[in-house]
């Protein structure tokens, strides 16, 4: 069984081939190309050649990428999206109220529909729908977000409107809010709106990927890793791109656990552009239990419980009035512009190498130029970087003191023997620089739900058992090994302010993927 693991980061694209019993057969680290695809192609060709295998021997492809996340920070191929709210009367709170301006411009128009069902009988008149269709065409809408106030309790309105719209616009990406979140209308609408806006960029990326894999004769199943570190099929990723927005970090955290052999640890991933710090619990990346945010946009999605520092090995440094200033990154050009390589740009990497020039060797380095840097100034830089990392580790260690720390990522060697004293267990495993691509190869399948139930004719225990059975069957259909399937988490949220006994239940199950020998490649068609 051979797996191809790919992780596309902001700085590097890492590709690995993992063989039987977890043996690493080959790996390649390459600068991420502007078009993403050419970098993946070059690295994939290299690892197949180095492993001395043919493409037909690859039985599964596992991909983690920051592509979707980057599209929000630097908007490309985003969809002009309409918001359709279903509520008793129009709300005075506008959609995307606290969103950054560069994303607000993709909200085409907001529509309000009054509740249109009564005892399950549809009462939305055809004229209202006809007017809506004409306006969507007039506004050149490319995607639609439907958000009904009551959809967590009864999604019938969202389903009905989605079906009517699909009859007229069969190719239009439509996101229903109840599929992404439960209570908390603003957070649920935000998640659905972001998902709709991202629909074009994810579809284009998946089409380019499938074309590339066919070109390389990789006719095998393909998955993306999602926010919680589990796998999602390509067609699911196209429908729910927001589920893949935090996949890069979870791949790295899982890879750190595998490489170190630790099922309970703190992970520090030191990259060229960012430093990401998270926690592994029982061998799985720990997720948030409440609302999270992207670009300060509140959403009610489960994402990795982590801290991301906007600094990395390629971050530029200056000292103003005795205060260290960490600026933008030149990670992609570090080997051309960094002082340690003969350039003129002072970076975090240069600071560490000034203090300890034997941290790592590179034949392209010309460390003589580090003489112009002050040893004391570089010590200040190191102190600032390590102090910020320690503060974030301390926050993750609440109620779990003493967890070992695993260092991974291309810049992790800079932290060895610099982060803690001799009383703290710090691991720096082999292959740490490609932990993200390795982690992608070991991501499990998952199935989850977040529903609200009225406990009328069933007990809570009966409902949980019933829904657990549905999740297990869903995992079997996805290809999980039956003996590996288990419940990963169950959360209960009672609602005292509803008549009757109302309970929100959130459950997640996971299972190991069972690969089937490569066939005709039908699973990667879009």
């Amino acid at each position: 069984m051979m797996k191809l693991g790919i992780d596309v980061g902001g700085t590097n694209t890492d590709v690995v081939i993992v063989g039987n019993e977890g043996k690493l057969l080959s790996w390649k680290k390459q600068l991420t190309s502007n078009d993403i695809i050419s970098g993946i192609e070059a690295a994939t060709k290299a690892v197949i050649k180095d492993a001395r295998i043919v493409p037909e021997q690859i039985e599964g492809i596992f991909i983690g990428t920051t592509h979707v996340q980057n599209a929000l920070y630097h908007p490309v191929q985003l969809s002009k999206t309409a918001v359709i709210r279903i509520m008793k009367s129009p709300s005075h709170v506008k959609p995307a109220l606290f969103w950054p301006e560069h994303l607000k411009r993709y909200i085409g128009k907001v529509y309000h529909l009054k509740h249109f069902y009564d005892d399950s009988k549809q009462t939305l008149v055809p004229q209202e729908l006809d007017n809506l269709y004409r306006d969507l065409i007039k506004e050149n809408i490319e995607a639609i977000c439907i958000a009904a106030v009551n959809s967590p309790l009864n999604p019938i309105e969202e389903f009905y409107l989605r079906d009517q719209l699909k009859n007229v616009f069969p190719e239009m990406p439509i996101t229903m809010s109840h599929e992404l979140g439960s209570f908390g209308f603003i957070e649920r609408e935000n998640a659905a709106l972001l998902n709709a806006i991202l629909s074009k960029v994810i579809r284009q990326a998946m089409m380019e990927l499938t074309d590339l894999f066919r070109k390389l004769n990789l006719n095998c199943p393909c998955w993306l890793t999602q926010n919680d570190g589990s796998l999602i099929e390509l067609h699911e990723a196209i429908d729910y791109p927001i589920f893949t927005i935090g996949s890069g970090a979870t791949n790295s955290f899982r890879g750190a656990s595998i490489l170190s052999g630790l099922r309970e640890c703190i992970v520090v991933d030191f990259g060229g552009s960012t430093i990401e710090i998270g926690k592994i619990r029982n061998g799985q990346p720990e997720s948030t239990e409440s609302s999270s945010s992207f670009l300060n946009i509140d959403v009610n999605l489960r994402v990795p419980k982590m801290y991301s520092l906007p600094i990395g090995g390629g971050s530029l440094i200056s000292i103003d009035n005795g205060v260290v200033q960490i600026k933008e990154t030149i990670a992609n050009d570090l080997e051309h512009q960094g002082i340690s390589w003969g350039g003129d740009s002072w970076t975090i990497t240069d600071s560490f190498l000034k203090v300890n020039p034997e941290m790592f060797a590179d034949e392209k380095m010309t460390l003589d130029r580090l003489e112009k840097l002050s040893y004391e100034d570089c010590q200040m830089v190191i102190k600032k970087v390590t102090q910020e990392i320690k503060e974030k580790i301390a926050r993750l260690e609440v109620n779990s003191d003493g967890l070992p720390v695993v260092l991974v990522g291309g810049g992790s060697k800079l932290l060895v023997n610099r982060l803690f004293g001799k009383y703290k267990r710090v691991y720096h495993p082999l292959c740490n620089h490609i932990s993200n691509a390795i982690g992608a190869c070991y991501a499990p399948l998952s199935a989850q739900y977040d529903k609200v139930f009225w406990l009328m004719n069933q007990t809570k225990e009966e409902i949980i058992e019933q829904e657990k059975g549905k999740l297990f069957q869903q995992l079997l259909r996805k290809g999980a090994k039956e003996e590996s399937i288990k419940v990963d988490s169950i959360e209960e949220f009672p609602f005292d302010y509803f008549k009757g006994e109302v309970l929100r239940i959130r459950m997640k199950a996971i299972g190991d993927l069972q690969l089937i020998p490569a066939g005709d490649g039908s699973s990667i068609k879009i």
Side-chain angles (χ1 to χ4, degrees):
M1 178 187 299
M2 294 190 187
K3 302 177 180 180
L4 181 71
I6 302 172
D7 190 275
V8 184
T11 303
N12 291 300
T13 294
D14 298 341
V15 180
V16 302
I17 293 179
V18 175
N20 294 328
E21 299 179 357
K23 183 179 180 181
L24 180 64
L25 301 181
S26 61
W27 63 271
K28 175 68 174 178
K29 182 180 285 287
Q30 179 157 330
L31 287 176
T32 297
S33 57
N34 290 332
D35 65 351
I36 304 295
I37 297 299
S38 61
I40 295 175
E41 180 176 6
T44 300
K45 286 180 177 178
V47 294
I48 290 175
K49 180 180 179 180
D50 291 347
R52 297 181 181 180
I53 63 172
V54 294
E56 289 76 12
Q57 290 178 265
I58 302 293
E59 294 173 280
I61 305 171
F62 305 85
I63 306 169
T65 176
T66 58
H67 185 59
V68 170
Q69 182 182 34
N70 292 341
L72 294 179
Y73 285 93
H74 310 287
V76 291
Q77 296 180 319
L78 299 184
S79 300
K80 184 178 181 182
T81 301
V83 182
I84 304 177
R85 285 177 161 179
I86 304 172
M87 51 185 58
K88 188 174 182 179
S89 58
S91 172
H92 295 294
V93 180
K94 295 181 179 179
L97 186 61
F98 299 112
W99 284 34
E101 291 300 324
H102 74 275
L103 291 179
K104 280 186 179 181
R105 67 173 65 109
Y106 291 95
I107 301 174
K109 195 168 182 179
V110 182
Y111 302 88
H112 291 88
L113 296 179
K114 291 184 178 180
H115 290 300
F116 54 79
Y117 77 95
D118 182 19
D119 295 329
S120 298
K121 295 179 181 178
Q122 307 301 336
T123 58
L124 191 64
V125 298
Q127 185 60 44
E128 287 182 272
L129 286 172
D130 289 340
N131 291 339
L132 176 62
Y133 301 152
R134 283 194 293 269
D135 209 58
L136 291 172
I137 295 171
K138 176 184 174 183
E139 295 291 329
N140 296 313
I141 295 300
E142 299 173 298
I144 296 172
C145 160
I146 304 174
V149 169
N150 293 333
S151 63
L153 290 169
N154 189 347
I156 187 172
E157 291 177 315
E158 291 193 353
F159 276 121
Y160 177 78
L161 183 57
R162 188 275 311 270
D163 292 344
Q164 297 305 308
L165 288 165
K166 279 293 185 182
N167 288 335
V168 181
F169 307 103
E171 301 300 321
M172 180 81 75
I174 299 175
T175 302
M176 297 181 290
S177 71
H178 79 272
E179 295 183 304
L180 297 180
S182 188
F183 281 91
F185 178 78
I186 297 299
E187 292 90 346
R188 175 161 49 89
E189 182 183 68
N190 281 343
L193 186 49
L194 279 174
N195 192 73
I197 286 173
L198 288 165
S199 57
K200 189 194 305 182
V201 65
I202 190 69
R203 175 170 288 274
Q204 183 62 35
M206 295 304 98
M207 290 177 64
E208 291 175 353
L209 272 177
T210 52
D211 288 344
L212 171 62
F213 294 147
R214 291 191 187 101
K215 174 183 175 182
L216 297 177
N217 292 319
L218 292 167
N219 298 314
C220 60
C222 178
W223 293 268
L224 266 70
T225 53
Q226 54 183 337
N227 299 334
D228 64 359
S230 62
L231 298 173
I232 184 172
E233 294 180 279
L234 295 196
H235 68 88
E236 292 179 288
I238 289 173
D239 290 336
Y240 307 106
I242 198 168
F243 287 165
T244 71
I245 206 165
S247 66
T250 51
N251 286 342
S252 183
F253 299 160
R254 185 183 303 282
S257 174
I258 291 165
L259 293 171
S260 66
L262 298 172
R263 295 178 60 80
E264 307 278 338
C265 59
I266 301 289
V267 180
V268 178
D269 181 359
F270 196 137
S273 305
T274 59
I275 298 174
E276 291 166 335
I277 304 152
K279 185 191 294 185
I280 292 286
R281 278 294 192 193
N282 196 28
Q284 300 292 330
E286 191 171 54
S287 299
T288 58
E289 297 179 0
S290 56
S291 295
S292 51
S293 66
F294 298 112
L295 289 171
N296 294 320
I297 300 171
D298 290 332
V299 294
N300 46 11
L301 294 172
R302 296 189 69 161
V303 297
K305 181 182 287 186
M306 56 173 279
Y307 294 100
S308 184
L309 300 175
I311 57 179
S315 296
L316 295 175
I317 298 296
S318 68
I319 293 186
D320 302 325
N321 298 320
V323 178
V324 175
Q325 303 292 334
I326 301 178
K327 303 179 179 179
E328 70 274 9
T329 182
I330 57 165
N332 287 342
D333 294 311
L334 180 60
E335 294 185 5
H336 298 100
Q337 299 182 33
I339 293 175
S340 299
W341 284 268
D344 296 312
S345 298
W346 179 15
T347 67
I348 285 177
T349 298
D350 297 320
S351 302
F352 277 90
L353 289 175
K354 172 68 177 182
V355 174
N356 185 357
E358 297 181 358
M359 281 181 172
F360 65 87
D362 183 339
E363 59 184 17
K364 300 176 184 177
M365 284 181 165
T366 55
L367 296 180
D368 293 344
R369 301 205 62 184
L370 290 175
E371 292 180 0
K372 67 179 184 179
L373 294 179
S374 160
Y375 186 91
E376 290 73 22
D377 287 348
C378 290
Q379 283 280 37
M380 288 173 58
V381 173
I382 293 172
K383 182 178 179 180
K384 180 177 178 63
V385 171
T386 54
Q387 189 60 42
E388 290 203 35
I389 295 173
K390 288 178 181 178
E391 287 175 2
K392 299 302 184 288
I393 290 175
R395 294 186 189 183
L396 288 173
E397 279 191 324
V398 175
N399 301 323
S400 57
D401 293 340
L403 284 178
V405 175
V406 182
L407 305 177
V408 296
S412 59
K413 62 189 71 177
L414 301 176
L415 296 177
V416 177
N417 301 323
R418 299 291 312 185
L419 195 57
F420 292 103
K422 61 182 179 180
Y423 300 108
K424 183 72 173 179
R425 289 180 296 160
V426 178
Y427 296 78
H428 191 231
L430 291 174
C431 302
N432 63 83
H433 57 298
I434 49 173
S435 68
N436 42 16
I438 290 174
C441 289
Y442 290 91
L445 291 165
S446 74
Q448 55 191 315
Y449 72 82
D450 187 345
K451 295 180 182 178
V452 177
F453 299 90
W454 266 292
L455 306 183
M456 300 172 68
N457 301 318
Q458 290 179 292
T459 66
K460 178 186 72 175
E461 290 73 21
E462 288 173 335
I463 288 175
I464 288 177
E465 197 62 29
Q466 170 185 299
E467 296 300 318
K468 184 172 74 173
K470 291 179 181 178
L471 289 184
F472 282 20
Q473 288 301 313
Q474 189 177 336
L475 284 174
L476 286 173
R477 289 194 298 271
K478 287 184 175 184
K481 298 176 184 177
E482 185 171 5
E483 66 276 11
S484 72
I485 297 175
K486 61 182 180 180
V487 173
D488 184 56
S489 62
I490 300 178
E491 298 166 273
E492 301 172 14
F493 308 86
F495 293 94
D496 297 330
Y497 47 84
F498 281 104
K499 291 183 179 180
E501 193 171 356
V502 181
L503 184 67
R504 172 187 172 193
I505 301 175
R506 184 161 65 180
M507 183 187 298
K508 176 184 173 185
I510 60 175
D512 296 334
L513 175 67
Q514 181 169 269
L515 282 179
I516 299 173
D520 61 2
S522 59
S523 59
I524 65 171
K525 292 178 182 176
I526 294 177

